[in-house]
């Protein structure tokens, strides 16, 4: 979506995250919103509303004990920033710093079903290598990162969950729409992992092996979306990154 269009999104400032119950719109919550705003809220989620309907949405609305904050935000998302400037913005934005600062939580893990959810392959792979859980955005891609004058805002919390810390970290650092070298991605990835719990297996794992496994899982997730232009684009982009990672491993082994 272009920053030049009128966009209404429900969002929470990443510096002041609400309780998980407020961040995770369950099916009852989604249905309540769709029933009340069925004529103006896209069925795909509370992402954008045409300018003509701005006046129809209240500033705040309660639904099934959940509070939704609708706000007009006239700022671009990270995917609207010049491609060659996205990585440097990410490094200096504070987003990576805030990912490092997330508090660990204790949760009872549940196994996902890769057959029914487009995100469960990456989630399942993350659970095999990372034992420290945190509150995760669940869909941390450049389109859900809004670039503001004083930092950033995260939107699109509809997949928020308690999950391994690496789930969000991998998603943003290895996103193909943030161009950079595989070396830069690995350096940032290793820096994030260094903040994990001492007992987390990732602390002693080979970052290249982990990235390889998570990339393969992400490719499966994207392929599960079906034969759509966006799914095909992302499968191709992540596959290219996987090939780059293989080349990096081969070159480093040759040097040694």
């Amino acid at each position: 979506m272009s920053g030049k269009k009128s966009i209404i999104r429900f969002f929470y400032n990443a510096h002041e995250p609400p309780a998980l119950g407020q961040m995770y719109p369950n099916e009852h919550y989604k249905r309540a919103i769709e029933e009340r705003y069925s004529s103006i809220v896209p069925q795909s989620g509370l992402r954008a509303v045409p300018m003509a309907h701005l006046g129809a949405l209240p500033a705040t609305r309660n639904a099934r004990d959940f509070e939704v904050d609708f706000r007009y935000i006239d700022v671009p998302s990270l995917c609207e920033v010049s491609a060659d400037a996205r990585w440097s913005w990410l490094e200096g934005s504070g987003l990576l710093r805030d990912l490092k600062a997330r508090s660990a939580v204790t949760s009872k893990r549940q196994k996902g079903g890769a057959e029914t959810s487009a995100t469960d392959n990456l989630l399942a792979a993350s659970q095999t290598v990372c034992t420290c859980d945190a509150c995760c955005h669940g869909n941390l891609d450049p389109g859900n990162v809004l670039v503001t004058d004083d930092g950033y805002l995260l939107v699109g919390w509809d997949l928020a969950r308690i999950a391994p810390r690496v789930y969000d970290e991998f998603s943003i650092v290895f996103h193909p729409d943030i161009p950079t070298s595989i070396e830069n991605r690995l350096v940032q990835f290793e820096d994030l992992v260094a903040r994990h719990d001492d007992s987390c297996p990732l602390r002693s794992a080979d970052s290249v092996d982990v990235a390889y496994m998570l990339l393969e899982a992400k490719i499966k997730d994207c392929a599960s979306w079906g034969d759509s232009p966006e799914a095909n684009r992302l499968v191709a982009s992540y596959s290219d990154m996987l090939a780059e990672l293989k080349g990096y491993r081969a070159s480093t082994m040759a040097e040694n």
Side-chain angles (χ1 to χ4, degrees):
M1 290 180 289
S2 171
K4 297 180 180 179
K5 296 179 180 178
S6 297
I7 298 175
I8 290 184
R9 315 190 191 208
F10 83 104
F11 77 98
Y12 296 100
N13 190 319
H15 298 284
E16 299 177 3
L20 182 66
Q22 292 175 300
M23 292 175 60
Y24 197 135
N26 60 27
E27 286 305 313
H28 291 296
Y29 165 82
K30 290 179 181 178
R31 283 199 295 272
I33 294 297
E34 289 171 358
E35 288 169 5
R36 285 179 180 166
Y37 301 121
S38 59
S39 64
I40 55 179
V41 176
Q43 294 299 306
S44 60
L46 306 173
R47 299 300 179 89
V49 178
M51 170 68 88
H53 299 305
L54 278 175
L57 289 175
T60 304
R61 181 80 180 197
N62 291 324
R64 307 285 180 91
D65 298 324
F66 290 91
E67 184 174 278
V68 184
D69 182 19
F70 293 93
R71 182 185 295 185
Y72 170 69
I73 311 173
D74 190 15
V75 296
S77 66
L78 182 53
C79 64
E80 295 167 284
V81 172
S82 175
D84 58 4
R86 291 173 197 167
W87 182 259
S88 60
W89 180 90
L90 178 63
E91 289 184 310
S93 67
L95 176 54
L96 297 179
R97 177 201 63 216
D98 291 342
L99 286 176
K100 296 174 188 175
R102 286 180 298 176
S103 300
V105 298
T106 301
S107 66
K108 184 177 180 180
R109 291 190 172 183
Q110 296 180 346
K111 293 183 179 180
E115 302 81 11
T116 59
S117 172
T119 61
D120 279 333
N121 287 292
L122 179 58
L123 178 60
S126 299
Q127 289 174 333
T128 66
V129 294
C130 179
T131 57
C132 45
D133 290 343
C135 182
C136 288
H137 180 276
N139 190 19
L140 197 54
D141 64 46
N144 284 328
V145 180
L146 301 189
V147 178
T148 64
D149 291 339
D150 57 354
Y152 71 95
L153 288 173
L154 298 184
V155 298
W157 288 91
D158 42 307
L159 294 177
R161 65 182 73 194
I162 298 299
R165 294 172 61 100
V166 72
Y167 187 58
D168 274 352
E169 296 165 350
F170 167 83
S171 295
I172 193 67
V173 170
F174 283 88
H175 201 285
D177 290 343
I178 307 180
T180 191
S181 67
I182 200 67
E183 292 90 343
N184 283 343
R185 297 187 196 277
L186 289 169
V187 167
Q188 283 297 342
F189 187 60
E190 291 167 357
D191 188 45
L192 288 163
V193 168
R195 301 299 185 94
H196 285 216
D197 298 343
D198 291 340
S199 59
C200 181
L202 265 181
R203 294 288 298 272
S204 57
D206 184 297
S207 60
V208 175
D209 289 341
V210 172
Y212 191 96
M213 180 185 69
L214 296 180
L215 279 170
E216 287 190 317
K218 186 63 179 180
I219 291 170
K220 290 180 181 178
D221 286 340
C222 295
S224 73
W225 297 351
D227 187 18
S228 69
E230 181 64 6
N232 294 336
R233 181 186 75 83
L234 287 174
V235 167
S237 297
Y238 279 112
S239 297
D240 288 344
M241 194 182 303
L242 191 61
E244 185 182 358
L245 186 63
K246 290 179 181 178
Y248 174 81
R249 166 53 62 83
S251 65
T252 55
M253 290 181 64
E255 292 174 0
N256 296 329

